Amino acid sequence: MRRHVLRALLIVALVLVVGTLSVGDRAQVAAESAMVTSMYGDVQVRHGTAGYAAARLNEVLKPGDAIKTGADSRAELSVAGGGYVRMDESSQLLITYIRSGGTTSFQALVGGIWVTLEQALTGGSKFEVRMPSAVASVKGTVFRCEVSEDGESATYVYDGEVELTAGEETMRVQPNEVARVPRGVKIALERMNLAFDDEKPWVTYNRHRDIIRHLGNPSIMVALREKGIETGRGVYLASAALTAELRRNGLIGASVTPADEARFTIGPDGLVRWRRHPEEDYCVVGVVKLDQVRRLRENLFTARATGRALLVEDGDAEAIVSVEALLSGVGDSRPAAVADALKNLGVRLGQEMAPRILKELMQQRRGTTRVDISGGSREQIGQLRRLISDLDGVVNTTPLRLPGDRISLAVAGGVSAGELEQAIRDRGGDGVEMVRSWDNVVVVRFKGGANQDVYLPGPPNQPGLARRTGNPNDPRAHHDEN
């Protein structure tokens, strides 16, 4: 019965076109050039002294070219050798030069820049970001730079080390440190507020993108059925908002698809039958309903909408992820209030789904090994991450924060779950209480978490590894939360 219910959900309108470069295609990035490998929103490029024009996916940029993003827009550039430069909204970047075996230099004029170098540079190679008040130089690391309108810069380091130069002063910035440089003022070095930093959408987006690239940039079709809802401003607002939120969270390949009869039909039994297999790797299906509309006074209305969204691998598969939400909206008319409620609902569904989708895709698709962590302090988790990052074959280790402050690590590279389990057993220290692996998942439990609500799911068709909760009636003691 549950399977039939899951299959009976549907559908949308409005096509949003967006693309990404697959993992296999990244080798096509030519030496001494950069390529636009993902983007959404208003992204424009300028070649040499020509004017700005709309960017194209896989467009090649050379030294002397520039790229900029508008409001609520982002772009990613790939350079040969496994380097990625991403741009936040309202940012502007100039490619100074790219030299194979030499120095690659980008000039950040304004906005936010994130750099991920997957391989340490060798010999005389160097990668730098030049800002109005400082220059950040690295040989292999993960960091981001922010440049304000008045030229003040800030450099945040996550992995590796950055050499920062401002005027005659040079300083080495270590992981979890931030260096601020107002124009004409010396470098101010401080510890990064990690809890605050983790909450920034720009940081979340980049962490997710670092994971998604190793999963082959899977595409996701959003096909919600918005039952009997007319807003006067068009329908499928929840679907569009959910799609936009997935894209803001790094799932660039998310799109809304029209409900044309050429793709699928709903049978009398309520099942979705696909006439051809979806072109996308995964689908988000579900149902949205208008729960209530009330008129408070002449020009003030409230509306409430409920929705359930599920990630499925194709049109009639069991759900991989399921989330539900109820959101309200307000407006000066009934349609406006309904539209506001639908938009808010779509955003909430997208926010809840994005990290859970990432977590499940790490198990569904090859490219990463997922390490699920329970208990443990931030310091212990950091030590575990450094242990894993130092293993031969590991390309990078990216943290993924889940609802309830749970942590998973996405480990990219040629290291199996079994090899990770053994390494953690050998070097994890006394703080590790339990470690177990199967397929491409490793579960680690730290000591001292007896008062935390924790459930560690076991392999398929096996019981959970540990059930510990302060409340025996807490449902989390009996089943995992997708």
Side-chain angles (χ1 to χ4, degrees):
M1 181 67 179
R2 175 177 175 271
R3 186 177 180 88
H4 285 190
V5 171
L6 295 179
R7 290 173 173 174
L9 305 172
L10 217 32
I11 302 309
V12 295
L14 173 68
V15 175
L16 301 178
V17 179
V18 65
T20 54
L21 193 68
S22 72
V23 171
D25 291 335
R26 290 204 303 264
Q28 296 179 3
V29 180
E32 304 189 1
S33 67
M35 181 181 288
V36 181
T37 45
S38 74
M39 62 180 185
Y40 74 84
D42 178 19
V43 180
Q44 300 183 47
V45 298
R46 187 196 72 200
H47 293 281
T49 58
Y52 278 98
R56 303 186 308 276
L57 189 66
N58 300 340
E59 187 166 0
V60 175
L61 303 180
K62 299 282 189 177
D65 295 346
I67 179 171
K68 65 180 181 179
T69 58
D72 195 25
S73 305
R74 285 172 180 157
E76 177 185 87
L77 300 178
S78 298
V79 295
Y84 296 87
V85 180
R86 301 195 193 97
M87 302 171 63
D88 198 2
E89 64 176 351
S90 304
S91 300
Q92 194 168 355
L93 193 67
L94 175 67
I95 303 174
T96 310
Y97 41 85
I98 303 176
R99 294 175 183 166
S100 179
T103 297
T104 296
S105 179
F106 289 81
Q107 186 173 351
L109 304 177
V110 68
I113 307 297
W114 180 287
V115 176
T116 294
L117 298 184
E118 294 190 335
Q119 301 176 5
L121 303 178
T122 59
S125 300
K126 185 170 65 173
F127 191 104
E128 67 179 24
V129 176
R130 307 186 72 87
M131 298 166 281
S133 60
V135 178
S137 303
V138 300
K139 280 188 171 290
T141 191
V142 177
F143 69 103
R144 69 181 174 94
C145 300
E146 291 183 354
V147 180
S148 64
E149 293 286 352
D150 61 6
E152 179 176 341
S153 68
T155 301
Y156 299 75
V157 179
Y158 299 96
D159 287 316
E161 182 182 84
V162 170
E163 183 179 276
L164 195 69
T165 302
E168 301 297 322
E169 184 183 17
T170 297
M171 183 177 293
R172 293 188 180 276
V173 187
Q174 305 293 331
N176 302 332
E177 292 182 340
V178 55
R180 305 182 190 279
V181 189
R183 275 184 178 267
V185 180
K186 288 189 175 182
I187 301 171
L189 188 65
E190 59 190 65
R191 295 294 295 175
M192 196 187 304
N193 185 332
L194 294 174
F196 178 75
D197 194 71
D198 283 345
E199 297 298 322
K200 293 186 175 180
W202 174 229
V203 174
T204 299
Y205 170 82
N206 283 285
R207 292 204 188 283
H208 289 182
R209 285 298 302 155
D210 282 342
I211 295 171
I212 280 291
R213 285 185 297 97
H214 293 282
L215 299 175
N217 277 320
S219 59
I220 297 175
M221 180 187 77
V222 175
L224 297 181
R225 183 182 184 189
E226 304 191 11
K227 297 178 64 174
I229 297 173
E230 292 291 342
T231 66
R233 302 181 183 179
V235 294
Y236 311 116
L237 296 175
S239 305
L242 189 157
T243 300
E245 199 61 34
L246 292 182
R247 295 169 67 199
R248 289 190 191 98
N249 276 274
L251 292 154
I252 302 295
S255 62
V256 181
T257 297
D260 57 71
E261 289 297 312
R263 300 199 65 171
F264 45 73
T265 60
I266 305 176
D269 53 4
L271 298 185
V272 178
R273 288 183 169 81
W274 297 83
R275 295 188 177 181
R276 67 173 188 269
H277 193 278
E279 298 174 1
E280 293 77 9
D281 299 300
Y282 297 91
C283 307
V284 173
V285 298
V287 61
V288 173
K289 298 179 181 178
L290 190 60
D291 188 63
Q292 184 185 76
V293 180
R294 294 178 57 197
R295 182 172 186 165
L296 299 182
R297 51 180 182 266
E298 184 177 357
N299 292 320
L300 183 61
F301 291 78
T302 65
R304 191 169 66 178
T306 59
R308 186 181 186 204
L310 308 99
L311 180 75
V312 298
E313 196 160 0
D314 57 44
D316 60 355
E318 290 283 358
I320 301 170
V321 176
S322 174
V323 297
E324 297 181 29
L326 183 155
L327 266 293
S328 298
V330 297
D332 58 7
S333 66
R334 178 187 174 95
V338 172
D340 192 46
L342 292 176
K343 180 179 178 181
N344 293 338
L345 177 66
V347 169
R348 174 64 60 82
L349 290 172
Q351 289 172 341
E352 290 289 321
M353 290 201 77
R356 296 179 184 184
I357 287 175
L358 264 290
K359 179 184 176 183
E360 295 308 317
L361 292 192
M362 280 188 271
Q363 186 168 349
Q364 293 281 324
R365 301 171 71 91
R366 296 297 171 182
T368 64
T369 299
R370 196 181 87 211
V371 180
D372 289 341
I373 303 171
S374 69
S377 64
R378 183 182 286 275
E379 181 180 355
Q380 287 175 309
I381 294 171
Q383 290 172 348
L384 177 64
R385 186 182 174 199
R386 288 191 291 273
L387 182 161
I388 295 171
S389 298
D390 289 339
L391 297 176
D392 291 339
V394 172
V395 176
N396 61 37
T397 306
T398 305
L400 172 65
R401 184 168 297 279
L402 298 164
D405 285 334
R406 293 175 294 170
I407 293 288
S408 287
L409 300 177
V411 182
V415 180
S416 69
E419 291 170 328
L420 283 175
E421 177 186 357
Q422 192 60 51
I424 295 169
R425 287 186 186 278
D426 294 341
R427 310 180 211 174
D430 295 337
V432 176
E433 184 175 76
M434 183 276 296
V435 55
R436 186 176 172 184
S437 67
W438 68 91
D439 295 333
N440 56 328
V441 178
V442 181
V443 173
V444 180
R445 183 176 69 213
F446 283 99
K447 294 179 181 178
N451 294 324
Q452 297 178 352
D453 291 334
V454 173
Y455 173 68
L456 300 178
N461 303 318
Q462 293 188 28
L465 302 176
R467 290 178 174 88
R468 299 184 298 141
T469 177
N471 178 2
N473 297 317
D474 191 324
R476 286 172 292 186
H478 306 290
H479 60 82
D480 186 28
E481 294 178 87
N482 283 329

